[in-house]
Amino acid sequence: MNCPKCNHPLSRNKSQVSGGRNAMPVYYCENCGWGRERLEAGEVDQTAVAAEVPDFAAAAWLKLAGLWGLSAALVIAPYVLLVKSPFLFGGADPGVFDAQAASARMAAALNPYYWIVVFAYILICATFNAPEVNRHDMGWFGGLVDNPFSYSDDANRTKLLILLLMVPGKIILVTLSATYRLIRAVTAA
């Protein structure tokens, strides 16, 4: 958990405040001092502490499971579609399009290289920031028609395309960083 004032990780006091059967630890910020004044004054009320430091453990794990499902779908679905796409044309004339042979060639070509390309893609998305797009300068009629008198709308369209290409990689990066932070928070507690 982070401090609501300075976003610094909160610390937990060693002794628990007693005041009922549900004694819970008191959190404070070492950086800005949030929560420390009440801890030292002994004015900490259990209901106030429970209201200030909500327990989002179950919600965090549920969100993380959803992120992992989405990330797995973003990585595995293109691979399955590329390998199995020749079977979509299986009704075509076998003399023109042999689905079995095309599927075998695609699987042989993608097997080692696909995972290297995915890793390089995630690394590129982690290295570069997403471009900022001026959505008001995308052309005429909300971007449906190109403005022939302005070159900046072409640059914004290119930035939008780059942004859309980076979204799956950024989702995978968010999943990995959220997993790291949640595991670190669980092991520190």
Side-chain angles (χ1 to χ4, degrees):
M1 289 182 286
N2 293 336
C3 176
K5 276 183 159 179
C6 66
N7 205 21
H8 190 268
L10 292 178
S11 300
R12 188 167 69 171
N13 70 330
K14 303 292 184 209
S15 63
Q16 294 184 351
V17 175
S18 61
R21 46 183 193 155
N22 294 333
M24 57 187 299
V26 177
Y27 292 91
Y28 62 93
C29 180
E30 293 177 357
N31 191 31
C32 69
W34 177 86
R36 186 175 286 276
E37 303 88 26
R38 292 174 302 154
L39 179 66
E40 291 171 353
E43 300 173 356
V44 178
D45 182 23
Q46 287 298 348
T47 57
V49 171
E52 289 176 9
V53 185
D55 186 16
F56 292 117
W61 287 104
L62 185 63
K63 289 177 189 175
L64 189 62
L67 278 173
W68 272 106
L70 180 62
S71 296
L74 288 172
V75 171
I76 295 171
Y79 182 76
V80 170
L81 287 175
L82 286 172
V83 170
K84 299 298 181 184
S85 64
F87 288 116
L88 296 175
F89 303 105
D93 184 22
V96 175
F97 186 78
D98 186 12
Q100 293 284 22
S103 179
R105 284 194 311 269
M106 185 70 76
L110 283 178
N111 208 3
Y113 299 116
Y114 177 78
W115 302 108
I116 295 170
V117 168
V118 166
F119 179 73
Y121 166 71
I122 293 171
L123 190 65
I124 288 170
C125 288
T127 304
F128 298 108
N129 291 331
E132 299 213 7
V133 178
N134 183 1
R135 294 179 17 196
H136 300 290
D137 188 19
M138 297 283 290
W140 292 336
F141 304 111
L144 294 176
V145 179
D146 185 30
N147 183 358
F149 304 113
S150 174
Y151 67 90
S152 63
D153 67 333
D154 296 332
N156 281 317
R157 287 173 194 260
T158 305
K159 287 180 186 179
L160 180 67
L161 178 65
I162 292 170
L163 177 68
L164 291 176
L165 289 174
M166 288 180 77
V167 166
K170 292 293 184 181
I171 290 173
I172 293 169
L173 289 172
V174 166
T175 302
L176 294 174
S177 66
T179 303
Y180 173 73
R181 276 189 260 124
L182 189 61
I183 290 174
R184 194 178 81 188
V186 167
T187 56

